Every structure is written in structure tokens, then in C-alpha cells.
Amino acid sequence: MTKKLLITGAAGFIGFHLSKKLLEKNFEVIGFDNLNSYYDISLKEARLKHLATLSKENNYPWKFIKGDLENHEILNNLFEKFEPKILVHLAAQAGVRYSITNPQAYINSNIVGFQNILECCRKYNIDNFIYASSSSVYGGNIKIPFSETDNVNHPVSLYAASKKANELFAHTYSHLYKIPSTALRFFTVYGPWGRPDMAPMIFTKAILEKKPIRVFNNGAMKRDFTYIDDVIEAIEKLINKPATSNINFKKEEPDPSTSWSPHRIFNIGNSQPVSLMKFINVIENELGKKAIKIFEPMQMGDVKSTYSDTTKLNEWINYKPNTLLEEGIKNFIDWYKSFYKLD
Ligand SMILES: NC(=O)c1ccc[n+]([C@@H]2O[C@H](COP(=O)([O-])OP(=O)(O)OC[C@H]3O[C@@H](n4cnc5c(N)ncnc54)[C@H](O)[C@@H]3O)[C@@H](O)[C@H]2O)c1
């Protein structure tokens, strides 16, 4: 029997890859996205076109519905018509810096939209709810590596606060209605078909066009870059293992990553933080070209360092991301040159 699942944000970077992988694994996939203009819509359209072509060639049961998370009616119709039992919720307003200038977008998609999704989980008895959180919930924390048991009450951007709010909302629904729910704290995901607002694409484009790149905090930053295929592998395993309640949960010593309810939180990161200067160097080496660097101060809302502890993920699904940055960047740049026809 084919398994049916709904992926929101399917025209986005991670949603596209997950849709592709699960179609290849015989899932019936329903994709949902509003194709908003936060970044180049033609890239989102190209991802959807790629999925449509693959589905046509291989007879994959792929369906796509365009709509806003804020629109109850569209969501209700979607759940009534397709009756998905598994939901991977990736649609959101992403981006830390954009949340400084466009806070309302985060309230609309990440708060109102998220609540609408939870109501659908409740009304349509979802068996496995998996949703995107973010490493940005660790905010100003300096204890590394970041563990799901750390205190995350000090966000430094509205984006981070909206993702932390999602974890709290989902826990509440998991407690009230016993919805198995899993939060994914992604750490800087990169790879082919990646996002134009993120460093790998921004730097690659600028270096190839001989334009300067802006290096924030004078280069003194570190990121735990996580390769897309590893992220997809982890999600696939979590689809096969819905959250359960922690039978050893102690209310007097509460572990924030688990609960008496079926709610779990996992870091999805490579656990190998790389300095910004090393990261630029890896791109330069792969392109065979030098970057023109402009050093600038730290940006509002940014954090200096991210570093994931993936012990809990590994214990739960016997897997943790592990692709080396050099390998992932090579794959990204190969895709970039072929997609933008630069060879
Ligand atoms: N890529 C990363 O490094 C990263 C890191 C941490 C967390 N995340 C989270 O993972 C998820 C997926 O990220 P991504 O990198 O694929 O981002 P993305 O922006 O490429 O994908 C998100 C998709 O959601 C859609 N969307 C946004 N608001 C919507 C709305 N109101 N209604 C319907 N569709 C809407 C967008 O059109 C987009 O295609 C997001 O929730 C993001 O916050 C990503």
C-alpha cells in the first residue's frame, strides 16, 4: 500500500527535496505552498516543474495545491479531499535578517499559519506531525554544542521567537489531543536547489560575477552547515518513527526535549561548525576564484556561532548528518553552474 503524506512548503528548498525523495520511495505526496515572493519565484517554479516532470516520467502520484497557510478554507478542503495521515510542515517565513524589517510576515505564516495547521492535525486525526523549527531558537546561548535540553528562552530575532512559539504550541496540542509531534531544529541547510537568500548561493553568485561579498562580524562567525541529503534522510527516518511520550519523563526534573505527551524535539545538524572564513575558502577553492571581501560588523538578529549536539537524534533513529562541507559545496556548485547554465 502506498503511504500518503502532505508536505507544506513543497516548492521551497527542503520541501522540494523531501517531495522528490518520498515520491521515489513510493509515497503519495501532496504538496502545498503559496509560492510567495520572499525570494526568486522562478526558482520555486523550477522546483515544481522538476517534480512534475519526474512524476510524469515515472508515474508518481504527485499532487500540488497552491494556497496560503492563513486560509482555513483551503486547508480544510485539502485535508478533507486527500485525507493525509502524515504531515511534514515546512512552509514558513524563513530568514533571520528579513524578520527585522518584515515582522508581520512571521506572525502571519509562522503563528497564524502554524495554528491553522495544528487545528487541521486535531480535526483530521493526523498520526504523525513533523514540523520545522530552527537552530536559531538557541539565540544568545554560548554553551556549545547546542543541546535540546538547553534553555532556549533568549531568542534574538522574531524568526527565532516564532519557531520557539511553534514548539510550545505543538506541545500543547500534543498534550491536549495526543497528536504525535516532532520538531526539527535545522542547522543552516545547504545544497543543490538551495535558497538565494543564504550564504552559499549569495557568495557563489557574487564570486562568479566578480562582485564583493559582505563578511559579517569581520568573519568571526561559525555555522554548523548541514547538507540537504542528510536532512532528508533524517526526516525520512522520523516519518517511520512518530514521536512517543517519554515513559521516564520526570515532572520534577523536566527534559525540555521530551514530554509525558508524544512530543519530541531534535537537532538536525552536522555537528562540525565551520568558521565563515573557512567556508568562503571552500567556495573559492571549488570555483577556482577569489572573493572580494568587505568586512562588516555583526548584523542585528544574528548569532555568532551554531553547533549542534545530535546525540538525541542518533539515539532515536540511529542516524546523524555527516556530509563533509567540501563534498556538499562541490555538489552545490555543480548544480548552480548547470542550473544557471554557466558552463
Ligand atoms: N534552510 C535552512 O537552513 C533552515 C534552517 C532552519 C529552519 N528552517 C525551516 O525549515 C523550513 C523549510 O525551509 P526552506 O529552507 O525550505 O525555506 P523555503 O523558504 O525555501 O521554503 C518555505 C516555503 O514555504 C512557502 N510558504 C511560506 N509562507 C507560506 C504561507 N503562509 N503559506 C503557504 N506557503 C508558504 C514558501 O513559498 C516557500 O516555498 C522553514 O520552516 C524554515 O524556517 C530552514
Side-chain angles (χ1 to χ4, degrees), residues 162-271:
S162 75
K163 291 294 184 179
K164 162 79 175 160
N166 289 171
E167 294 178 356
L168 297 174
F169 283 29
H171 180 268
T172 309
Y173 268 66
S174 161
H175 163 68
L176 293 173
Y177 310 113
K178 305 283 165 277
I179 302 163
S181 307
T182 306
L184 313 175
R185 288 183 180 166
F186 296 131
F187 283 68
T188 320
V189 187
Y190 74 101
W193 299 91
R195 270 171 40 195
D197 62 321
M198 293 181 66
M201 179 93 90
I202 294 173
F203 290 171
T204 301
K205 185 169 189 289
I207 296 171
L208 286 170
E209 292 173 359
K210 300 190 173 62
K211 290 185 178 153
I213 61 168
R214 300 167 73 194
V215 182
F216 296 119
N217 201 32
N218 298 309
M221 305 243 262
K222 277 189 171 183
R223 286 290 176 275
D224 196 357
F225 291 98
T226 309
Y227 190 58
I228 184 69
D229 288 2
D230 297 353
V231 168
I232 300 304
E233 176 115 22
I235 301 177
E236 210 191 324
K237 291 184 188 304
L238 291 165
I239 286 171
N240 292 320
K241 192 164 180 189
T244 54
S245 47
N246 176 2
I247 49 166
N248 298 315
F249 190 82
K250 295 191 189 79
K251 285 196 175 171
E252 57 282 8
E253 261 177 69
D255 164 6
S257 72
T258 67
S259 173
W260 62 87
S261 304
H263 183 260
R264 303 246 167 186
I265 298 176
F266 294 109
N267 285 340
I268 312 281
N270 211 41
S271 309

Side-chain angles (χ1 to χ4, degrees), residues 9 11-15 32-36 38-39 44 47 67-70 90-94 109 132-135 159 163 186 188-189 195 198:
F13 171 38
I14 301 175
F32 180 81
D33 202 296
N34 66 359
L35 279 95
N36 69 25
Y38 167 59
Y39 62 74
K44 296 184 184 181
R47 293 182 186 129
D68 287 319
L69 292 170
E70 298 89 316
L90 300 169
Q93 180 57 57
S109 295
S133 179
S134 167
S135 62
Y159 170 64
K163 291 294 184 179
F186 296 131
T188 320
V189 187
R195 270 171 40 195
M198 293 181 66

Side-chain angles (χ1 to χ4, degrees), residues 87-147:
L87 168 56
V88 184
H89 178 52
L90 300 169
Q93 180 57 57
V96 167
R97 288 177 197 147
Y98 190 73
S99 72
I100 308 294
T101 46
N102 294 276
Q104 191 60 42
Y106 294 76
I107 303 304
N108 298 344
S109 295
N110 303 7
I111 302 297
V112 177
F114 193 82
Q115 162 66 6
N116 287 343
I117 284 288
L118 284 175
E119 272 298 292
C120 289
C121 289
R122 177 184 71 78
K123 279 197 259 179
Y124 301 101
N125 300 315
I126 291 300
D127 294 336
N128 188 1
F129 175 51
I130 298 175
Y131 64 97
S133 179
S134 167
S135 62
S136 58
V137 299
Y138 292 104
N141 289 10
I142 55 167
K143 177 199 144 272
I144 50 168
F146 296 159
S147 160

